[in-house]
Amino acid sequence: MPPKMLKSEEIEATVQRVVKETFLAMMQESGALQTLANLIKDAVVSELQRSIDFNSEVIQDLKQTIEQRDRKIGELERKVDDLKQYQRRQCVRIFGIEEEVGENTDKLVVELATNIGVELKVEDIDRSHRVGRTTSDGRPRPIIVKFCSYRKRSEVFFNKKRLKGSGMTLRKI
């Protein structure tokens, strides 16, 4: 007679029974439970140590990346500052020109340049505007002028000495 074929449920039940009996036998031995606990503890500690080591490496890599980016940001900030300063070399601040409602600051700058002997056209001015808050003591706000060329700015700035006694002054930005 051929051997009887076992069903998968019967095989699973047999395996479970064998595992259970083996576990009970180990529990009955003196110190077997302690040995099992030590094995489990060692496995968990080993896995945790590997995880800690991996995370430490990741943290170090991230620190290095952040330090590199901080250096790059510092370098870029210095470059931006240099560019801003370079752009301001074409600008001057004018103090002492009376302020009126609806004024055209370009025309005021052209008039000032004419008064100090500099031939200046509106086309020589990139932009001009008042800056700051209106003061309660009635002092006019300064005008910032950006010239289209450094040469024109230098010419106007060089002739600022002709403003002596007028109450108006020019300063570099």
Side-chain angles (χ1 to χ4, degrees):
M1 187 164 198
K4 182 179 172 187
M5 297 292 279
L6 295 175
K7 294 182 184 176
S8 64
E9 294 88 18
E10 292 173 339
I11 294 172
E12 188 176 327
T14 304
V15 168
Q16 285 179 354
R17 185 177 44 82
V18 169
V19 168
K20 193 181 220 180
E21 288 173 4
T22 305
F23 181 72
L24 289 174
M26 283 178 52
M27 299 269 298
Q28 291 173 355
E29 290 183 27
S30 65
L33 186 59
Q34 184 63 37
T35 303
L36 181 61
N38 287 338
L39 288 172
I40 292 172
K41 179 186 81 163
D42 292 344
V44 169
V45 167
S46 172
E47 187 60 34
L48 286 174
Q49 188 60 48
R50 277 195 308 250
S51 178
I52 289 170
D53 292 344
F54 176 78
N55 288 337
S56 294
E57 288 177 22
V58 169
I59 289 170
Q60 286 296 20
D61 289 345
L62 290 173
K63 278 183 179 179
Q64 289 175 352
T65 302
I66 288 171
E67 288 170 358
Q68 288 173 347
R69 290 202 176 144
D70 284 348
R71 283 191 296 273
K72 185 70 173 177
I73 287 170
E75 181 182 319
L76 290 173
E77 285 174 341
R78 283 187 296 281
K79 286 182 179 181
V80 166
D81 189 46
D82 290 345
L83 287 172
K84 284 180 179 179
Q85 287 182 13
Y86 186 76
Q87 286 178 339
R88 287 192 295 260
R89 70 187 287 251
Q90 290 177 241
C91 299
V92 294
R93 281 183 295 171
I94 304 172
F95 296 90
I97 296 179
E98 289 302 319
E99 192 168 350
E100 298 173 11
V101 178
E103 67 189 3
N104 182 339
T105 55
D106 287 349
K107 288 184 181 179
L108 292 173
V109 172
V110 170
E111 287 174 17
L112 173 76
T114 303
N115 290 341
I116 61 174
V118 176
E119 186 179 320
L120 186 71
K121 295 179 259 175
V122 173
E123 293 80 31
D124 294 326
I125 298 172
D126 186 16
R127 67 175 41 120
S128 68
H129 57 87
R130 297 267 181 184
V131 292
R133 296 183 189 159
T134 308
T135 59
S136 59
D137 62 2
R139 282 185 299 158
R141 296 179 295 162
I143 297 174
I144 287 190
V145 183
K146 181 176 183 188
F147 293 92
C148 292
S149 74
Y150 180 74
R151 286 190 179 108
K152 277 295 179 185
R153 189 212 61 115
S154 295
E155 188 178 351
V156 170
F157 195 76
F158 178 75
N159 287 298
K160 76 177 186 169
K161 61 188 168 215
R162 294 183 179 169
L163 289 173
K164 275 192 177 178
S166 69
M168 292 183 241
T169 59
L170 287 169
R171 290 190 196 143
K172 295 179 183 178
I173 294 180

